[in-house]
């Protein structure tokens, strides 16, 4: 079985993304035999940041003709994309917003063409992209549009817990209207399918959360469960999807309930993700399901205040790379079936 080839975008150039990748090149805690990493980045940015970090760095130009090869210690393989303006660690510059999007476009297109097996993304700063006059709500939405995906699912995972979201980056005042029967059904189908496809779960069990306190308490605390969530679950169960709930969010994350399921489906961003990040921050991974490509990401932001200091923790990036590689190998046919 050939080595997986992962495209990696370093995210906001002024943030810790470049630091993490340089530190990873020297890291001893991840298995280089899992995949070849190809950075879609400005080589000079990497050289400058490595010098600032006081770490030696060898850059190898990516050659798509050659078969994938493990990255050597202290080495990064790069597909060059030039910055629009000089970059200083910790200092945002709207001039470089198009550069960030260009790295994402090239990496995504490379995955769609089969040049890369998966995409791993370091953190971006959404505000500076919008300040540059480019409407941008996040990686997930960008990738959905770039790949022509009608519906995608944001799922974060750490050891012992996976949390997927029905709604993602919405103001809280808009969440209830977005939690409708069609959306719950569509998101759950994608979650169920991709748990099978990428994680080797033949019959995954999904715990569905209610939207309201106490899961609506029979309609006394809101009718979204009665009007939308429960009817969606009835339809999905008739299709053979194993579901538990809807459960109140304040009890669903207890060990008793988590032992019974493979993933939790939360109705909105801050209903499910605070629990996951408390459990596994720094060792969690953000996964976009429902795309025609595999995409994972870190569970943290750009950390501008520590960029260039050498104090950033590459644990989440290592987890994102390991998860992407595992997903690639899960979806490949078994050797005896080839």
């Amino acid at each position: 079985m050939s080595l997986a080839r992962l495209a990696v975008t370093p995210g906001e150039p002024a943030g810790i993304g470049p630091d993490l990748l340089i530190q990873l090149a020297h890291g001893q805690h991840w298995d280089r035999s899992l995949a070849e990493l190809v950075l879609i980045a400005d080589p000079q940015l990497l050289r400058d940041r490595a010098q600032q970090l006081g770490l030696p760095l060898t850059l190898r130009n990516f050659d798509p003709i050659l078969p994938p090869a493990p990255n050597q210690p202290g080495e990064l393989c790069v597909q060059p994309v030039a910055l629009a303006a000089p970059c200083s660690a910790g200092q945002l510059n709207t001039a470089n917003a198009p550069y960030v999007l260009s790295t994402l476009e090239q990496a995504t297109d490379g995955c769609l063409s089969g040049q890369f097996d998966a995409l791993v993304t370091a953190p971006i700063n959404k505000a500076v992209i919008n300040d540059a006059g480019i409407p941008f709500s996040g990686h997930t939405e960008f990738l959905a549009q770039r790949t022509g995906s009608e519906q995608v699912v944001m799922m974060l995972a750490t050891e012992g817990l996976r949390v997927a979201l029905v709604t993602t980056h919405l103001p809280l005042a808009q969440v209830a209207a977005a939690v409708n029967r069609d959306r719950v059904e569509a998101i759950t189908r994608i979650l169920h399918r991709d748990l099978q496809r990428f994680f080797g779960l033949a019959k995954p069990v999904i715990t569905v959360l209610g939207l309201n306190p106490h899961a609506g308490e029979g309609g006394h605390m809101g009718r979204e469960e009665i009007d939308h969530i429960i009817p969606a679950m009835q339809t999905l169960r008739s299709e053979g999807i194993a579901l538990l709930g809807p459960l109140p969010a304040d009890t669903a994350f207890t060990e008793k309930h988590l032992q019974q399921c493979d993933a939790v489906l939360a109705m909105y961003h801050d209903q499910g993700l605070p629990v996951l990040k408390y459990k596994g921050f720094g060792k969690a991974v953000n996964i976009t399901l429902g795309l025609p490509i595999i995409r994972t990401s870190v569970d943290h932001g750009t950390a501008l205040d520590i960029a260039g200091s050498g104090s950033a923790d590459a644990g989440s990036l290592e987890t994102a790379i390991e998860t992407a590689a595992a997903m690639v190998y899960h979806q490949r046919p078994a050797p005896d079936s080839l």
Side-chain angles (χ1 to χ4, degrees):
M1 184 178 293
S2 64
L3 193 68
R5 175 172 274 164
L6 311 183
V8 184
T9 55
E12 167 53 50
I16 61 171
D19 303 42
L20 297 177
L21 291 161
I22 294 163
Q23 290 170 205
L24 191 72
H26 292 272
Q28 304 298 318
H29 304 298
W30 68 288
D31 185 357
R32 286 181 171 80
S33 69
L34 287 175
E36 177 187 52
L37 309 183
V38 180
L39 274 61
I40 316 299
D42 188 312
Q44 192 58 48
L45 167 67
L46 298 172
R47 292 189 190 97
D48 291 344
R49 193 63 58 86
Q51 183 176 19
Q52 185 172 355
L53 295 172
L55 293 173
L57 182 65
T58 300
L59 297 182
R60 168 169 59 91
N61 283 335
F62 171 56
D63 185 347
I65 303 300
L66 297 177
N71 303 80
Q72 298 302 308
E75 173 198 81
L76 292 173
C77 179
V78 182
Q79 178 171 298
V81 182
L83 283 166
C87 175
S88 298
Q91 299 179 24
L92 294 173
N93 186 343
T94 55
N96 281 322
Y99 159 81
V100 174
L101 296 183
S102 180
T103 65
L104 283 172
E105 290 166 356
Q106 291 192 35
T108 303
D109 293 350
C111 289
L112 288 171
S113 71
Q115 189 174 72
F116 305 118
D117 294 305
L119 169 62
V120 179
T121 59
I124 55 175
N125 185 293
K126 293 191 284 286
V128 74
I129 297 174
N130 283 285
D131 288 345
I134 306 170
F136 187 84
S137 55
H139 272 120
T140 303
E141 296 81 2
F142 173 89
L143 291 169
Q145 182 179 27
R146 189 75 181 178
T147 61
S149 302
E150 184 176 349
Q151 184 71 68
V152 296
V153 177
M154 181 178 177
M155 182 177 81
L156 270 77
T158 191
E159 185 175 355
L161 180 61
R162 301 182 185 96
V163 177
L165 304 176
V166 171
T167 63
T168 53
H169 301 120
L170 280 180
L172 192 56
Q174 298 176 19
V175 168
V179 177
N180 57 60
R181 179 174 178 173
D182 289 345
R183 187 179 184 89
V184 172
E185 289 183 13
I187 295 292
T188 307
R189 288 189 185 102
I190 292 171
L191 175 59
H192 176 263
R193 181 199 68 196
D194 283 1
L195 286 172
Q196 292 179 316
R197 182 182 176 194
F198 296 123
F199 295 91
L201 299 169
K203 191 172 176 61
V205 178
I206 300 167
T207 290
V208 179
L209 302 186
L211 173 67
N212 298 294
H214 302 176
E217 208 162 277
H220 296 289
M221 288 192 180
R223 291 194 55 86
E224 284 81 8
E225 289 78 12
I226 293 172
D227 294 340
H228 297 285
I229 298 173
I230 292 173
M233 293 177 68
Q234 290 170 340
T235 297
L236 294 163
R237 284 179 175 134
S238 72
E239 298 172 5
I241 298 177
L243 302 174
L244 301 176
L247 294 181
D250 63 350
T251 58
F253 288 105
T254 59
E255 197 62 30
K256 169 189 171 182
H257 289 296
L258 292 179
Q259 287 177 352
Q260 300 176 29
C261 71
D262 298 297
V264 175
L265 182 63
M267 293 298 119
Y268 58 96
H269 190 280
D270 282 14
Q271 183 185 47
L273 297 193
V275 179
L276 185 134
K277 291 193 176 185
Y278 176 77
K279 180 177 175 63
F281 189 75
K283 289 293 184 181
V285 56
N286 184 351
I287 306 163
T288 306
L289 306 178
L291 296 171
I293 65 173
I294 293 171
R295 180 261 175 163
T296 67
S297 187
V298 296
D299 67 348
H300 56 74
T302 54
L304 294 167
D305 56 324
I306 62 171
S309 70
S311 60
D313 184 348
S316 181
L317 180 61
E318 292 173 7
T319 304
I321 290 167
E322 292 165 356
T323 302
M327 292 171 71
V328 170
Y329 296 129
H330 265 303
Q331 74 164 353
R332 288 180 174 177
D336 59 2
S337 68
L338 297 176

